[in-house]
Amino acid sequence: MAQHTPPARRICPGCDGFATVAVTLGGRDRHGHLRTISAHCPACHGLGTAPARRTWEGARA
């Protein structure tokens, strides 16, 4: 009997799946660590995937 596989998740077109990035603030703290902040993709809110498009079967254009 054939196994059903779930459909693949769509990768976010805004970030290509790299939803969160570390941005350097341009300096180091007193311990010598590089100061960074994390920024999330505004399109997918840091998930890396986009919601699947809904297809309407039988819908007329």
Side-chain angles (χ1 to χ4, degrees), residues 24-44:
T24 181
L25 296 176
R28 296 188 180 266
D29 62 6
R30 62 187 176 121
H31 299 290
H33 298 263
L34 190 62
R35 294 185 301 160
T36 60
I37 58 171
S38 57
H40 301 290
C41 172
C44 66

Side-chain angles (χ1 to χ4, degrees), residues 2-59:
Q3 296 291 325
H4 296 283
T5 57
R9 301 187 102 188
R10 290 189 59 230
I11 295 176
C12 174
C15 64
D16 287 332
F18 295 97
T20 304
V21 295
V23 179
T24 181
L25 296 176
R28 296 188 180 266
D29 62 6
R30 62 187 176 121
H31 299 290
H33 298 263
L34 190 62
R35 294 185 301 160
T36 60
I37 58 171
S38 57
H40 301 290
C41 172
C44 66
H45 305 288
L47 296 176
T49 58
R53 289 184 181 171
R54 181 176 270 183
T55 57
W56 299 94
E57 293 186 27

